[in-house]
């Protein structure tokens, strides 16, 4: 599986961005996918996750209501709609995908759960 993320850029606080991540090669319809981000000087943190088959996404609590994850299974594309952006949302955003596997608890929020990673797309929010 190859993942290609795009859509990052420089925006003002309060504006919106939509990130996209296209999967190519062998994909797993029942696998999980996710967005993580890495802010300057910190480790990679969980943003949102869902499965290719749909269902409600899981979000990190602090981003609920501002970030929305979705997917287009036919196009093998996942999206992250980010609204009301804040300066602290400045980060490199990464998409990730996992082969089908059993999920225990909050496995989906752990970087180790994912087998494939995109290259990251930079989001910079100026205040």
């Amino acid at each position: 599986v190859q993942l290609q993320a795009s859509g990052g850029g420089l925006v003002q606080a309060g504006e919106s961005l939509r990130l996209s991540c296209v999967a190519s090669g062998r994909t797993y319809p029942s696998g999980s996918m996710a967005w993580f981000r890495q802010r300057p000087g910190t480790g990679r943190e969980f943003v949102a996750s869902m499965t290719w088959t749909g269902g409600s996404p899981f979000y990190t609590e602090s981003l609920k209501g501002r970030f929305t994850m979705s997917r287009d299974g036919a196009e093998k594309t996942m999206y992250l709609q980010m609204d009301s952006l804040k300066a602290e949302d400045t980060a490199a955003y990464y998409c990730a995908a996992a082969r089908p596997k059993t999920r225990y608890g909050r496995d989906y929020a752990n970087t180790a759960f994912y087998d494939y990673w995109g290259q990251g797309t930079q989001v910079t929010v100026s205040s």
Side-chain angles (χ1 to χ4, degrees):
V1 178
Q2 292 81 46
L3 301 173
Q4 180 70 42
S6 63
L10 172 64
V11 297
Q12 299 283 329
E15 294 183 341
S16 299
L17 273 178
R18 189 173 83 154
L19 306 183
S20 300
C21 179
V22 180
S24 60
R26 180 177 180 177
T27 56
Y28 300 90
S30 59
S32 298
M33 53 190 182
W35 289 96
F36 286 76
R37 69 183 184 183
Q38 188 162 11
R39 292 183 277 188
T42 69
R44 203 164 289 190
E45 62 178 316
F46 172 72
V47 173
S49 175
M50 67 187 301
T51 62
W52 282 111
T53 53
S56 298
F58 297 97
Y59 298 96
T60 197
E61 192 66 30
S62 61
L63 299 177
K64 280 183 181 178
R66 292 197 300 120
F67 286 22
T68 304
M69 183 176 183
S70 61
R71 98 278 182 261
D72 182 332
E75 296 297 324
K76 297 182 181 180
T77 303
M78 65 180 95
Y79 303 98
L80 184 68
Q81 176 69 37
M82 305 185 293
D83 298 320
S84 302
L85 282 162
K86 304 175 181 179
E88 53 262 41
D89 295 320
T90 294
Y93 284 75
Y94 296 87
C95 54
R99 293 188 293 269
K101 61 186 75 171
T102 302
R103 303 199 309 190
Y104 299 95
R106 285 177 49 85
D107 277 352
Y108 58 83
N110 191 330
T111 57
F113 184 77
Y114 297 91
D115 305 292
Y116 309 99
W117 291 86
Q119 82 289 3
T121 185
Q122 179 66 36
V123 172
T124 303
V125 184
S126 63
S127 56

